[in-house]
């Protein structure tokens, strides 16, 4: 069973009856089509940067991911701005604005997984594949049960950092100098937002799965805690790589340049 009984032996009320799943499924399909069209438009109308000429797929994939981060990051901030009460009831809060956000983002991750599959990238980019599996399990569960949607919205705050994370890589592809003012500014914003919008949300999601969500039985709670810990490990590794590249190596380059 996905749901248990509350301590007072009254059944946990599902808010699933308050939303129409068909709308979510429609948004998922629209999202997949939208990001596929975005990929095609990028391929046709934006010239592939010289540095990406050997692997144009990765450049297009990154650019589409950036579009998703901008759209979903902005949408998510609007969710918490319009409905601040979400933070008081993360497992039970529900409305179509947040529900369709989860569906739209789910469509993107399905699209991206399919894009990786058809371009033989699932094994090559196994870290991204693992990330997408974890995300899709959580998102599809939330859509299907109409439960913990606001928790997923907390998790989607990582897309705020995704805007700067993907911008960093795009600037590298377009051969921005590491000393370029825009690159340096983005570098520090990326590191700051990484801590705030990745570390913070993942910690809150872990707390909700571990101590809240009364509708979870023990096995289901264990699954979601495990998935959250796995996601945290992925982000710790990513943060170390960013620090190593943008802080440690940059300081070393500066030292060598000044003493050469």
């Amino acid at each position: 069973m996905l749901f248990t009984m509350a301590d007072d032996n009254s059944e946990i009320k599902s808010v699933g009856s308050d939303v129409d799943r068909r709308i979510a499924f429609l948004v998922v399909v629209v999202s997949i089509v939208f990001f596929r069209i975005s990929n095609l438009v990028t391929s046709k109308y934006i010239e592939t940067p010289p540095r990406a000429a050997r692997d144009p797929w990765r450049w297009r994939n990154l650019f589409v991911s950036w579009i998703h981060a901008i759209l979903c990051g902005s949408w998510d901030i609007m969710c918490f701005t319009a409905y601040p009460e979400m933070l008081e009831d993360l497992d039970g809060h529900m409305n179509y604005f947040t529900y369709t956000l989860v569906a739209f983002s789910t469509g993107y991750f399905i699209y991206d997984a399919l894009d990786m599959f058809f371009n033989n990238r699932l094994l090559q980019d196994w870290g991204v594949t693992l990330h997408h599996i974890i995300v899709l399990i959580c998102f599809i569960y939330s859509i299907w049960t109409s439960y913990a949607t606001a928790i997923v919205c907390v998790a989607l705050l990582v897309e705020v950092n995704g805007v700067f994370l993907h911008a960093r890589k795009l600037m590298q592809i377009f051969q921005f100098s590491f000393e370029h003012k825009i690159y340096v500014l983005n570098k520090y914003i990326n590191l700051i937002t990484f801590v705030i919008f990745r570390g913070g949300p993942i910690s809150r999601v872990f707390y909700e799965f571990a101590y809240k969500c009364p509708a979870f039985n023990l096995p289901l709670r264990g699954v979601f805690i495990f998935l959250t810990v796995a996601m945290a490990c992925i982000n710790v590794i990513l943060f170390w790589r960013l620090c190593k590249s943008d802080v440690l190596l940059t300081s070393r380059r500066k030292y060598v340049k000044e003493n050469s």
Side-chain angles (χ1 to χ4, degrees), residues 122-148:
L122 289 177
L123 294 179
Q124 181 178 341
D125 295 331
W126 64 268
V128 177
T129 302
L130 177 61
H131 171 273
H132 285 14
I133 291 173
I134 294 173
V135 167
L136 286 173
I137 290 174
C138 296
F139 285 24
I140 292 173
Y141 170 86
S142 180
I143 291 174
W144 183 256
T145 63
S146 303
Y147 185 70

Side-chain angles (χ1 to χ4, degrees), residues 73 76-77 80 153-162 164 189-203 235:
D76 206 20
I77 289 176
F80 285 100
C153 288
V154 171
L156 276 171
L157 285 171
V158 303
E159 295 302 337
V160 175
N161 169 252
F164 305 100
I189 294 177
N190 180 38
L191 292 173
I192 293 170
T193 57
F194 196 106
V195 174
I196 296 173
F197 290 101
R198 285 184 184 265
I202 290 175
S203 299
N235 279 275

Side-chain angles (χ1 to χ4, degrees), residues 49-69:
R51 188 172 180 179
R54 295 180 61 183
D55 190 5
W57 174 86
R58 189 171 297 280
W59 131 253
R60 293 195 304 271
N61 180 268
L62 179 63
F63 189 78
V64 173
S65 295
W66 188 52
I67 293 174
H68 168 256

Side-chain angles (χ1 to χ4, degrees), residues 28 37 61 69 102 117 121 127 130 148 159 167 181 219 227 235 242 244-245 253-254 257:
V28 168
I37 292 174
N61 180 268
V102 175
F117 172 77
R121 301 295 179 122
L130 177 61
E159 295 302 337
K181 291 182 179 179
L227 294 176
N235 279 275
L242 286 173
K244 183 178 178 181
S245 175
R253 292 190 199 100
K254 185 177 180 180
K257 184 176 180 180

